[in-house]
Amino acid sequence: MKVEIWSDIICPFCYIGKRRFEAGLQAFAHRDQVKVVYRSFQLDPTIAIHPDKHLFEIAAAKEGTSTEVMAKVSRDIAERAKQDGLLFNYDTVKHTNTMDAHRLSHFAMEYGKEEAVLELLYKAYFTDSLHIGEHETLLSLAEQAGLDHQETVDMLLDSKRYLTAVKEDQLAAKRLGVRGVPYFLINNRYAISGAQPVGAFIQALEAAWKEVSSSQKDEDSDMCSDGIC
Amino acid sequence: MKVEIWSDIICPFCYIGKRRFEAGLQAFAHRDQVKVVYRSFQLDPTIAIHPDKHLFEIAAAKEGTSTEVMAKVSRDIAERAKQDGLLFNYDTVKHTNTMDAHRLSHFAMEYGKEEAVLELLYKAYFTDSLHIGEHETLLSLAEQAGLDHQETVDMLLDSKRYLTAVKEDQLAAKRLGVRGVPYFLINNRYAISGAQPVGAFIQALEAAWKEVSSSQKDEDSDMCSDGIC
């Protein structure tokens, strides 16, 4: 089975949803047969790497409200994140453009290290208030994940590799009608939108598994897929 | 709620699946709030309008088996169709290219008559052994559905209208990873593949409804959809 997960590093519910999905997967009997594929989704592809305002101000302007309200909303989210074992330090967060972070994640995929990189990226952004738009930070996280220093330098600094891959992920989401992230898609068919409770992930995994394992034969015989039927 | 249904006129399980979906929809309490959108899917876009062989021979060549085997398979499908109240006359079927039939269905959509046209097309092909690749047949069916004679002539004979629409439907299916038809997609999210039992359609409609009506608010608050979250 394949689970595709669209997410953005700066998206709190993506981090929370990742934890809940992982808990659901852990409780799923056939977890060894699940392949997780991370897909990039930029909530704001236009934001600068070094915005001149704090996240609260940027968010307030977007939402047409005050920075105080956005600070309060963020604190509420941080409280909820705690229940999933995550520490969010919104006051000192370094908001930025996530394109290079996503490119790094795609690069890491070639070495099977995208999961490790994503974990480090989320923690860097939400907990440690690191600047994940800066190459220095990304390089350090890449090394922590076990990626080669020089290869990462070459990928990040001297090329635009994976730019297309990131954009293609985003387009794929658009085609699927994705309205927000996180967005989980199991076997191209079962979709879960948002940081749903752990039980919802277990249910979806089990439903997809049931279909794949038991009704595969029936299903194939009850649909037409070649030139005639 | 929106239900998109990809199907081909020459696909037996599309006809059967249509009956079962309709039965499921009939049993669904909020059926009045369901909008059904028919999408085109050609199982074989390359076949001639007048193939020089019978369906059984074409199918046998594709499957690497004998015409006898394909005749037997078709008889089995016809037996199963009976249980859904459908009469298939495979021995005299006129296999053909369905592009113009799909174009007619798209044309009919402009008048809200696509459902009537599709019903007439299926019956013409599977029951009445009519040649649904020939404009004469299509024109007659269009008139039975209440479409204007001259407008239909203009659409079918003198233009390539809806050719792009048919191909776009097909591409959309490809993007969704559709492996065969019929393929039902509820609200861009709940997918049902194949002529599943009536209960499966009811379940899917109810699950989609539940999500739309009750968890819309929760879900939105647990996902990020604008530039920040």
Side-chain angles (χ1 to χ4, degrees):
Chain A
M1 305 214 302
K2 181 175 73 167
V3 181
E4 293 163 279
I5 307 176
W6 277 264
S7 50
D8 197 2
I9 319 296
I10 56 159
C11 157
F13 293 113
C14 294
Y15 197 8
I16 295 171
K18 185 171 186 295
R19 278 292 172 282
R20 295 188 186 167
F21 168 75
E22 284 160 355
L25 186 61
Q26 202 54 38
F28 176 59
H30 309 283
R31 57 183 172 278
D32 296 344
Q33 295 183 55
V34 175
K35 160 89 180 150
V36 177
V37 180
Y38 293 96
R39 302 270 183 222
S40 299
F41 188 101
Q42 285 201 281
L43 284 167
D44 184 357
T46 65
I47 198 160
I49 289 175
H50 294 101
D52 54 4
K53 294 189 179 76
H54 184 270
L55 172 62
F56 296 160
E57 273 187 272
I58 301 167
K62 284 232 176 197
E63 301 285 335
T65 182
S66 67
T67 52
E68 288 70 30
V69 165
M70 290 319 297
K72 168 78 173 63
V73 166
S74 300
R75 270 195 298 274
D76 290 347
I77 294 176
E79 272 309 307
R80 295 176 60 187
K82 267 189 202 163
Q83 295 165 25
D84 290 274
L86 301 174
L87 184 62
F88 285 11
N89 288 308
Y90 264 122
D91 288 340
T92 50
V93 77
K94 305 276 190 303
H95 196 56
T96 186
N97 191 301
T98 55
M99 172 52 89
D100 285 346
H102 282 293
R103 284 175 55 224
L104 176 61
S105 157
H106 275 271
F107 170 59
M109 217 177 282
E110 297 194 358
Y111 297 90
K113 295 194 181 297
E114 70 277 19
E115 215 280 314
V117 162
L118 281 172
E119 272 299 308
L120 289 165
L121 283 166
Y122 279 124
K123 183 169 176 292
Y125 181 78
F126 283 105
T127 307
D128 301 336
S129 302
L130 296 175
H131 199 303
I132 60 160
E134 292 179 350
H135 286 178
E136 199 178 350
T137 313
L138 293 173
L139 195 51
S140 159
L141 299 177
E143 287 191 90
Q144 286 175 54
L147 292 169
D148 180 76
H149 178 92
Q150 193 54 49
E151 266 199 78
T152 311
V153 169
D154 294 347
M155 189 283 290
L156 285 172
L157 302 177
D158 303 342
S159 87
K160 286 284 167 199
R161 275 176 77 193
Y162 307 103
L163 193 79
T164 310
V166 173
K167 288 182 177 170
E168 274 173 6
D169 280 359
Q170 191 109 5
L171 270 176
K174 189 157 274 190
R175 284 189 207 109
L176 285 165
V178 171
R179 294 175 301 145
V181 284
Y183 185 87
F184 305 78
L185 188 62
I186 310 179
N187 290 344
N188 284 317
R189 300 170 61 172
Y190 288 84
I192 302 168
S193 186
Q196 300 286 338
V198 175
F201 290 109
I202 301 175
Q203 271 189 352
L205 287 165
E206 283 174 353
W209 176 262
K210 204 174 147 196
E211 187 188 75
V212 168
S213 57
S214 73
S215 68
Q216 184 75 51
K217 216 175 122 269
D218 278 353
E219 181 198 303
D220 281 354
S221 71
D222 278 2
M223 72 181 200
C224 300
S225 52
D226 71 12
I228 286 78
C229 169
Chain B
M1 303 213 304
K2 179 176 74 166
V3 181
E4 293 164 279
I5 308 177
W6 277 264
S7 50
D8 197 2
I9 319 297
I10 56 160
C11 158
F13 293 112
C14 295
Y15 197 8
I16 295 171
K18 186 171 186 295
R19 277 291 171 283
R20 294 188 187 167
F21 168 75
E22 284 160 356
L25 186 61
Q26 203 52 38
F28 176 59
H30 311 282
R31 59 183 172 277
D32 296 344
Q33 296 183 56
V34 174
K35 160 88 180 151
V36 177
V37 180
Y38 292 96
R39 301 270 181 221
S40 299
F41 188 101
Q42 284 201 282
L43 284 167
D44 184 357
T46 66
I47 198 160
I49 289 175
H50 294 101
D52 53 4
K53 294 189 178 74
H54 184 271
L55 171 63
F56 296 161
E57 273 187 89
I58 300 167
K62 284 234 175 195
E63 301 285 335
T65 184
S66 66
T67 51
E68 288 72 28
V69 165
M70 290 319 297
K72 168 78 172 63
V73 166
S74 299
R75 271 194 299 272
D76 290 348
I77 294 176
E79 270 309 306
R80 296 176 60 187
K82 268 188 200 164
Q83 295 166 26
D84 290 274
L86 301 174
L87 183 63
F88 285 12
N89 289 308
Y90 263 123
D91 289 340
T92 49
V93 76
K94 303 277 190 302
H95 196 56
T96 185
N97 191 300
T98 55
M99 172 52 89
D100 284 347
H102 282 292
R103 285 175 55 224
L104 176 60
S105 156
H106 275 271
F107 170 59
M109 217 175 286
E110 297 193 358
Y111 297 90
K113 295 195 181 295
E114 70 278 17
E115 215 279 314
V117 161
L118 280 172
E119 272 299 308
L120 288 165
L121 282 167
Y122 279 124
K123 183 168 176 291
Y125 181 77
F126 282 104
T127 308
D128 301 336
S129 302
L130 295 175
H131 200 303
I132 61 160
E134 292 179 351
H135 286 178
E136 200 179 348
T137 313
L138 293 173
L139 195 50
S140 159
L141 299 177
E143 287 191 271
Q144 286 175 55
L147 292 168
D148 180 75
H149 178 91
Q150 193 53 48
E151 265 199 80
T152 311
V153 168
D154 294 346
M155 189 284 289
L156 285 173
L157 301 177
D158 303 341
S159 87
K160 287 284 167 197
R161 274 176 78 193
Y162 307 102
L163 193 78
T164 310
V166 173
K167 287 183 179 172
E168 273 173 7
D169 280 359
Q170 190 110 3
L171 269 177
K174 189 158 275 191
R175 284 190 208 108
L176 286 166
V178 171
R179 293 176 303 146
V181 283
Y183 185 86
F184 305 78
L185 188 62
I186 310 179
N187 289 346
N188 284 318
R189 300 172 62 169
Y190 288 83
I192 302 169
S193 185
Q196 300 286 338
V198 174
F201 290 109
I202 300 174
Q203 270 188 354
L205 287 165
E206 284 174 352
W209 176 262
K210 204 173 147 194
E211 188 188 75
V212 167
S213 57
S214 73
S215 68
Q216 186 76 48
K217 214 174 126 268
D218 278 355
E219 182 197 302
D220 281 354
S221 70
D222 277 1
M223 71 181 198
C224 301
S225 52
D226 70 13
I228 284 84
C229 167

